[in-house]
Amino acid sequence: MNTSSAFVPDQCVGIVGLGLVGTALAKRLKAAGYQCIGFDVRAEAMHVFEAAGFEASASVGSMLHLTNTLVLAVFDTTGVQAVVEQILQQRKIQVQTAPSVITLIDCSTGDPVKLAELARQLSEEGIQFIEAPLSGSSVQIENGQATLLLGGEIQHIESVKPLLNALATSQVHVGGAGMAAKAKLATNLVLGLNRAALAEGMVFAQTLGIQPETFLQLVLNTPARSEAAVVKGDMMVKEEFEPQSRIRQHLKDVQLMLDMADLSSQNLPLSQAHAQLMRNAIAQGDGELDNAAIIRQIRRETTQSTQKK
């Protein structure tokens, strides 16, 4: 174990990206005894983070005066690369005071190919890179019900094991850098289609005269049951879509799935249809709503089809 990056509670952790996931992770760390300092490119997100009782940082670079471990909860791999650029710039400015080892824990859902290459480049800079995307919504993350999918070197993961345990007790190490992103995309494919199937089934059932609340109970008590029905079913029934995860974010993930499949000449017909459904939902203004709101677009398209007849 590299003791220069070994971590214990009461030390400070930087959180970059203060959206739903970043804030949920900060709450997990705070509950475990860590101090958290956050940064986001959006001033509004910084204000909300401070209102929740956390400290905000003026920049990524200024965080490195307080901690050598950053948890990234940014939108995509482009955001991760932007953080890395700022870290490298800061190290050039303050070579003597910069930590000997910096550990980046990337909790975003990113591009597997780019992340594997980034990890290789960072290793040459003495920066440890750990992939740690979480399978679960922001509410599940905050409640400790999510699963960490870990990618990277075993010794790097072990050096921050207490911190990772604070983020989530359920963990699966799936291989080297890039593999966690692949695992997240594959599991998200199934999860997203489960949500869409539940929504489509609920709309279909309603056209047959079965009310949504009755249909949900049918699903939950038959082999059609899924985690999507447990987590998102009630939101669809009540039409309450306060975001725990957002449609626009999942479309980003599905587009990554399609891009990766294209590299292998694989067809993903259901995901292609799902992506178009989400594009249509975003065009209708639903991009910031919870993924459960996909039922709204299915209803719209059902109505359009009926009107054409």
Side-chain angles (χ1 to χ4, degrees):
M1 180 185 298
N2 189 328
T3 56
S4 63
S5 61
F7 224 92
V8 295
D10 295 329
Q11 289 187 321
C12 182
V13 181
I15 309 288
V16 184
L18 305 178
L20 295 172
V21 171
T23 301
L25 292 173
K27 291 177 180 178
R28 293 285 305 168
L29 291 171
K30 183 178 181 180
Y34 292 93
Q35 299 173 25
C36 294
I37 184 168
F39 173 76
D40 197 293
V41 294
R42 298 165 300 143
E44 180 183 356
M46 299 264 277
H47 295 323
V48 172
F49 193 68
E50 289 177 312
F54 295 100
E55 182 181 351
S57 174
S59 68
V60 171
S62 63
M63 285 181 169
L64 299 180
H65 295 290
L66 302 172
T67 180
N68 65 341
T69 303
L70 302 183
V71 175
L72 311 184
V74 295
F75 184 70
D76 55 17
T77 302
T78 299
V80 174
Q81 292 169 327
V83 172
V84 168
E85 289 177 6
Q86 294 175 66
I87 291 171
L88 295 179
Q89 289 173 0
Q90 184 66 23
R91 293 185 91 185
K92 289 179 180 178
I93 295 171
Q94 295 181 317
V95 175
Q96 294 180 351
T97 58
S100 58
V101 174
I102 294 174
T103 299
L104 301 183
I105 301 173
D106 179 18
C107 294
S108 63
T109 301
D111 184 314
V113 176
K114 292 180 180 178
L115 290 175
E117 175 59 22
L118 182 62
R120 185 192 65 77
Q121 294 172 356
L122 290 177
S123 178
E124 296 174 356
E125 297 286 344
I127 297 175
Q128 298 180 165
F129 183 79
I130 299 170
E131 279 189 286
L134 292 114
S135 181
S137 69
S138 59
V139 170
Q140 289 173 310
I141 292 170
E142 184 176 342
N143 292 336
Q145 299 168 334
T147 296
L148 273 177
L149 304 174
L150 298 171
E153 300 293 332
I154 288 289
Q155 63 269 29
H156 297 168
I157 292 171
E158 289 299 322
S159 73
V160 290
K161 195 65 173 177
L163 187 153
L164 295 174
N165 290 341
L167 296 180
T169 55
S170 177
Q171 303 173 14
V172 181
H173 182 214
V174 293
M179 290 304 298
K182 292 178 181 179
K184 178 68 181 295
L185 291 176
T187 54
N188 264 14
L189 184 153
V190 176
L191 176 60
L193 291 178
N194 277 342
R195 280 194 302 261
L198 174 66
E200 186 172 53
M202 192 172 289
V203 173
F204 175 59
Q206 194 165 13
T207 65
L208 299 178
I210 303 172
Q211 291 305 304
E213 57 270 24
T214 301
F215 173 73
L216 177 59
Q217 291 308 309
L218 288 171
V219 169
L220 293 175
N221 288 281
T222 66
R225 181 186 178 95
S226 69
E227 189 67 16
V230 173
V231 175
K232 301 296 184 181
D234 197 50
M235 297 176 75
M236 293 182 184
V237 169
K238 295 178 179 177
E239 298 187 6
E240 296 176 353
F241 304 118
E242 181 71 21
Q244 300 176 6
S245 53
R246 293 184 170 91
I247 288 176
R248 70 174 178 86
Q249 291 173 315
H250 192 62
L251 176 58
K252 178 264 297 183
D253 294 352
V254 174
Q255 189 57 58
L256 271 172
M257 297 169 200
L258 296 173
D259 292 343
M260 292 298 295
D262 189 55
L263 292 176
S264 303
S265 299
Q266 180 188 359
N267 187 28
L268 298 179
L270 298 181
S271 292
Q272 289 170 355
H274 189 201
Q276 188 57 55
L277 187 66
M278 287 187 289
R279 291 188 196 104
N280 294 345
I282 291 169
Q284 292 294 323
D286 287 351
E288 298 301 313
L289 298 181
D290 189 88
N291 283 315
I294 199 66
I295 192 171
R296 288 160 53 98
Q297 186 57 34
I298 292 174
R299 283 204 173 102
R300 289 187 196 104
E301 297 189 9
T302 299
T303 301
Q304 291 170 0
S305 176
T306 302
Q307 290 174 343
K308 287 180 181 179
K309 293 180 181 180

